[in-house]
Amino acid sequence: MKIITAEFLTSVAKREDILSTGLPELAFVGRSNVGKSSLINSLTGVKKLAKTSSLPGLTKLVNYFEINKKCLFVDLPGYGFAKTSKVQQGEWSSLIGDYLLTSEDLRIVLLLLDIRHLPNQLDRIMIDFLLSNKISFAIVATKADKLSLAAQNKAVDAIAKELNMRKEAIFVYSSTKNQGREELLDFVEAVINS
Ligand code: GTP
Ligand code: MG
């Protein structure tokens, strides 16, 4: 898929405001700081489309971006971090669950995992949540540039084994190097045309 237009559409803070435009949606989900917003910027080729930060917990709203007037990329808050309340640490913003359960146009979740780490307990809870609610998802292993090619291979093997899935089902990505971009964009196209 070639990106022709990528525009910020709107941010939503509560369940009642979740959009229903009829355009297929791809949601970016994962731990705080794993690289969701950076992935959106890399895929679209628009550097500051989604706000990114080295501090976790930046994205607090559901942010919608319209791509080629054909689909929406949905940047969600990360889980596993809460600045305001210690009690909430490790829990998800309820907005994540609200979005995943109520969006009528959600086609697929891209679940991001840092390539350097095995999925943690929260990632597993998220995967179980997606499976039990029959929400399709694909895994993207982020920050691949932090490892050599050989180490990337090994890390993806380990993640695949841990999740009991095929290695080929995991996309390896680097937002700083745009590694994996063409492949993931082709996948996005296949999803929205399916
Ligand atoms: P929250 O909104 O807090 O949930 O975080 P996020 O998942 O949107 O992460 P974000 O895209 O803001 O990136 C977090 C940090 O990781 C930033 O400092 C990014 O520059 C860095 N980062 C993201 N992707 C990559 C990558 O592919 N390679 C490297 N080296 N750094 C990355
Ligand atoms: Mg973000």
Side-chain angles (χ1 to χ4, degrees), residues 144-159:
D145 55 283
K146 302 266 192 187
L147 299 178
S148 68
L149 272 181
Q152 288 177 23
N153 234 322
K154 251 179 114 175
V156 171
D157 277 341
I159 293 173

Side-chain angles (χ1 to χ4, degrees), residues 163-194:
L163 294 178
N164 212 0
M165 59 195 293
R166 286 181 316 117
K167 177 182 185 183
E168 293 70 31
I170 299 176
F171 291 92
V172 178
Y173 207 96
S174 164
S175 293
T176 52
K177 299 240 168 91
N178 287 339
Q179 179 190 341
R181 184 171 183 269
E182 296 305 314
E183 201 190 342
L184 194 50
L185 282 175
D186 286 347
F187 177 71
V188 169
E189 184 166 38
V191 168
I192 61 180
N193 289 332
S194 65

Side-chain angles (χ1 to χ4, degrees), residues 24-29 72-74 76 99-100 103-111 130 134-140 169 171 184 187-192 194:
E25 293 175 12
L26 291 93
F28 295 72
V29 170
L72 302 181
F73 284 0
V74 185
L76 292 173
Y99 170 80
L100 292 172
S103 173
E104 291 168 5
D105 303 313
L106 176 62
R107 286 287 176 82
I108 199 162
V109 163
L110 297 181
L111 179 66
L130 296 171
K134 299 194 166 51
I135 299 169
S136 312
F137 67 95
I139 303 283
V140 180
F171 291 92
L184 194 50
F187 177 71
V188 169
E189 184 166 38
V191 168
I192 61 180
S194 65

Side-chain angles (χ1 to χ4, degrees), residues 10-21 25 62 64 95 98-99 102:
T10 189
S11 292
V12 161
K14 50 186 198 297
R15 184 194 197 110
E16 306 81 79
D17 295 335
I18 286 168
L19 298 189
S20 182
T21 67
E25 293 175 12
V62 177
Y64 291 89
L95 201 50
D98 285 346
Y99 170 80
T102 56

